[in-house]
Amino acid sequence: MSIITDHHEDITRCRACHGASLTTVLSLGELPLANDLADSVIEAKRRSRYPLTVVRCPSCTLVQIIETIYPQVLFSRYPYFSSYSTTLLQHARGEAEQLIQYYRLGPESLVVEIASNDGYLLRNFVEAGIPVLGIDPAENITHTAAERGVPTLCEFFGLDTALRLREEGRRANVVIANNVLAHINDLSSFVDGIATLLAKDGIAVLEFPYLFDLVETTAFDTMYHEHLSYFSIRSVKSLFEAHGLDLIDVEHQEIHGGSLRVFLRHRAPGHHPSPRMAIMERREEDRDVNGSLYLDRFGLRVAALRTDLVAELSRRLEAGQKIAAYGASAKGTTLLAYCGIDDRMISFIVDISPVKQGKYAPGTGIPIMPTSALMELMPDAVLLLTWNFEKEIIGQQSDFLRRGGTFIVPVPEVHTIGKEVLP
């Protein structure tokens, strides 16, 4: 690796298998850090920008970005609190109930979650009387989790953490790691840590954005500096098998525009993939998901989407319309920066999280307001940056639509939503 600045370095070898023949899939230009919200317009527009180049490893097929922003820069203080999404809370409760029932968890069990955020998932186990431990590097978020009754370590997880916990006599019956695998630079330490912490007969459950869904829906905005890797079944299976863990089952989840939930155990005779997993693996093979041509076509569609979106916004602005946006999200930062959309096109962004309200979007300086601003200021159209929560947002903002407002949805292709969708 070659150090570029005090904040990041570029990889020259695959993060998973260390292969050296990385091939470029897509360049998104120079982007600000996705969650680097600012306290003023000037600060927002002065935020540092970094290249974002997506590559593929021909050896293990892992899709990843070259640039690695140091995690201390990204995650020490983090503005994303999972508990503000009703959809995510419901999703988390369903996962907890499934694990409790299927693996017969009780007072003698231990559930450990890596990247536990504000305790939104582990709270379900606490309510069921099951011991838990959260691990998350963001000080502000771990403090909130502790206040909610979820014991949480404030640190980055890796092999060292797992060894220390094991020495303390803590072995996990269930290790959960949702929406964190893609964030990890040192995949070997992370996976070895899971294997070390997991009890002999324990189960590890991970969720992450699914490469197949990302490509099929042209969801390029899921690519930002926090997401270092983008996994298929094949690439994640290869990664974990190299560290003694067998992938035994997968579930497709609709959350975040399409995710995989994978189940892993320590390697042992008699482990066979589920029929569901075999079907999904065959689909990847049939569509050549892990091939270079599949990803090349994705790059062409991304460029076409940018053209269509800018044209739609420009047409509305030329007609004198006022445009706002919904969701000061990480994916929104990527979309705005890649498409060259700034405060000359978008008047304001609304967000349900009080932590983000009053801030300014990185790179653009667009002010972030409460969701009530939609009804108060009544823009003609709203660009839906958090399109992955479309149903939830439409339900929240039905009055805006009834008054003639329009949502512009950028993914998988540019289209609009008006009051005709309401019951």
Side-chain angles (χ1 to χ4, degrees):
M1 290 185 169
S2 56
I3 295 178
I4 304 300
T5 73
D6 292 337
H7 294 153
H8 91 286
E9 59 187 26
D10 290 353
I11 62 168
T12 57
R13 292 182 174 272
C14 174
R15 301 178 196 280
C17 73
H18 308 296
S21 301
L22 302 177
T23 58
T24 300
V25 172
L26 174 69
S27 174
L28 293 176
E30 294 195 347
L31 310 181
L33 300 183
N35 285 298
D36 195 14
L37 305 181
D39 292 323
S40 71
V41 174
I42 294 175
E43 287 181 22
K45 292 188 175 183
R46 288 178 177 173
R47 287 299 198 228
S48 298
R49 290 175 178 257
Y50 304 89
L52 196 145
T53 310
V54 184
V55 298
R56 172 183 173 272
C57 174
S59 300
C60 71
T61 74
L62 179 62
V63 176
Q64 56 209 289
I65 65 172
I66 288 177
E67 298 80 13
T68 307
I69 307 298
Y70 296 134
Q72 293 82 358
V73 176
L74 292 173
F75 302 116
S76 294
R77 290 193 65 81
Y78 201 51
Y80 181 73
F81 285 72
S82 299
S83 292
Y84 288 118
S85 169
T86 302
T87 300
L88 194 55
L89 290 176
Q90 293 172 345
H91 179 77
R93 179 169 290 277
E95 179 180 7
E97 291 173 349
Q98 177 194 42
L99 294 174
I100 291 170
Q101 180 178 4
Y102 192 81
Y103 296 106
R104 299 180 181 179
L105 303 178
E108 303 302 317
S109 306
L110 175 63
V111 176
V112 176
E113 185 182 9
I114 304 164
S116 51
N117 203 263
D118 58 9
Y120 75 105
L121 173 58
L122 289 181
R123 287 170 64 185
N124 296 286
F125 295 98
V126 172
E127 291 170 3
I130 299 167
V132 304
L133 176 66
I135 304 172
D136 196 285
E139 182 179 351
N140 57 324
I141 287 177
T142 56
H143 179 73
T144 299
E147 289 180 336
R148 294 174 175 175
V150 178
T152 307
L153 298 177
C154 184
E155 59 186 86
F156 290 97
F157 178 81
L159 180 57
D160 290 345
T161 301
L163 287 170
R164 188 182 76 245
L165 292 173
R166 183 170 175 170
E167 289 173 1
E168 295 172 359
R170 292 197 263 191
R171 299 292 296 275
N173 302 93
V174 177
V175 173
I176 302 172
N178 289 347
N179 298 305
V180 62
L181 185 64
H183 295 186
I184 303 302
N185 181 35
D186 189 350
L187 288 169
S188 293
S189 176
F190 186 81
V191 177
D192 281 340
I194 291 176
T196 299
L197 184 58
L198 191 64
K200 184 178 180 180
D201 59 349
I203 188 81
V205 186
L206 290 83
E207 276 188 24
F208 45 83
Y210 185 22
L211 178 66
F212 176 82
D213 291 313
L214 187 156
V215 174
E216 290 294 309
T217 60
T218 323
F220 73 95
D221 53 349
T222 302
M223 294 174 159
Y224 42 90
H225 294 103
E226 292 173 19
H227 285 173
L228 302 175
S229 303
Y230 305 87
F231 291 93
S232 64
I233 295 174
R234 178 175 172 182
S235 60
V236 80
K237 182 179 179 180
S238 173
L239 169 64
F240 280 92
E241 283 183 347
H243 296 269
L245 294 172
D246 286 336
L247 181 58
I248 59 171
D249 198 7
V250 299
E251 291 178 355
H252 183 263
Q253 303 290 328
E254 296 297 329
I255 196 79
H256 297 308
S259 299
L260 275 185
R261 179 182 293 168
V262 301
F263 299 80
L264 303 123
R265 287 190 180 278
H266 286 290
R267 181 163 300 152
H271 283 174
H272 301 288
S274 68
R276 171 173 51 197
M277 177 174 160
I279 291 171
M280 293 184 68
E281 284 186 291
R282 283 198 298 272
R283 184 179 70 166
E284 284 192 2
E285 293 175 5
D286 292 343
R287 298 296 297 273
D288 195 27
V289 170
N290 297 288
S292 58
L293 183 58
Y294 183 78
L295 296 169
D296 289 342
R297 291 170 178 163
F298 168 67
L300 294 174
R301 294 203 310 275
V302 170
L305 188 151
R306 173 175 60 182
T307 298
D308 292 344
L309 179 58
V310 172
E312 173 70 15
L313 297 180
S314 298
R315 180 184 65 79
R316 290 178 176 272
L317 290 169
E318 289 170 4
Q321 292 191 14
K322 183 177 182 179
I323 304 174
Y326 192 110
S329 60
K331 61 172 70 259
T333 299
T334 293
L335 185 139
L336 294 175
Y338 174 68
C339 294
I341 300 168
D342 57 21
D343 56 352
R344 292 170 296 182
M345 303 179 80
I346 303 293
S347 299
F348 60 92
I349 300 172
V350 299
D351 197 282
I352 199 169
S353 171
V355 177
K356 298 181 180 182
Q357 294 163 10
K359 302 286 187 177
Y360 295 82
T364 65
I366 302 172
I368 303 168
M369 301 180 177
T371 54
S372 58
L374 288 188
M375 293 297 290
E376 293 168 1
L377 301 176
M378 202 59 201
D380 299 283
V382 174
L383 177 60
L384 194 56
L385 299 176
T386 45
W387 52 264
N388 50 316
F389 294 119
E390 177 184 316
K391 292 181 180 178
E392 177 181 336
I393 293 167
I394 288 174
Q396 292 172 357
Q397 301 299 327
S398 57
D399 287 343
F400 171 74
L401 293 176
R402 287 193 180 95
R403 286 182 57 181
T406 298
F407 282 119
I408 303 169
V409 185
V411 175
E413 65 276 325
V414 180
H415 62 283
T416 59
I417 294 175
K419 59 184 177 183
E420 69 278 357
V421 303
L422 298 176

